[in-house]
Amino acid sequence: MSKYFETVDFWIENLLDSTESYTIESNEKGKFVDITINVTKDDMGKVIGKNGRIITALRVLMSSVAKKDRKSVKIEVKEM
């Protein structure tokens, strides 16, 4: 597991009540890292946040971490 996956998993785990309500998939190819967060419909709002603030903050955080390694991180949220 990459540090990007672990960081996203940590934040999502603390945002949501149950660990069964989400899964995270990570795919790393060269300097590109794609992370997909699959959440139940009920918890979608908790991950996205009001006006998308939570997911935007997570994307900014991961981009700043990845910039140090000269990588690009893309985070996508999907419904299970």
Side-chain angles (χ1 to χ4, degrees):
M1 278 192 278
S2 69
K3 63 183 172 183
Y4 310 108
F5 177 88
E6 292 173 0
T7 305
V8 170
D9 187 43
F10 171 79
W11 283 102
I12 299 299
E13 180 180 337
N14 287 303
L15 274 174
L16 302 178
D17 299 329
S18 171
T19 56
E20 290 100 27
S21 62
Y22 75 94
T23 58
I24 300 176
E25 301 168 4
S26 179
N27 188 9
E28 193 167 341
K29 292 182 183 176
K31 65 177 188 170
F32 299 103
V33 180
D34 293 329
I35 298 175
T36 304
I37 305 168
N38 299 305
V39 245
T40 60
K41 187 175 185 176
D42 297 335
D43 290 329
M44 184 73 80
K46 292 179 184 177
V47 174
I48 294 174
K50 190 173 189 177
N51 293 325
R53 290 183 181 176
I54 292 177
I55 193 64
T56 301
L58 186 59
R59 286 175 176 151
V60 168
L61 173 69
M62 296 312 301
S63 293
S64 63
V65 170
K67 188 176 270 191
K68 182 178 177 184
D69 297 332
R70 295 187 177 150
K71 293 193 176 200
S72 175
V73 175
K74 176 185 162 193
I75 300 176
E76 187 176 356
V77 180
K78 292 185 178 180
E79 186 179 325
M80 288 173 99

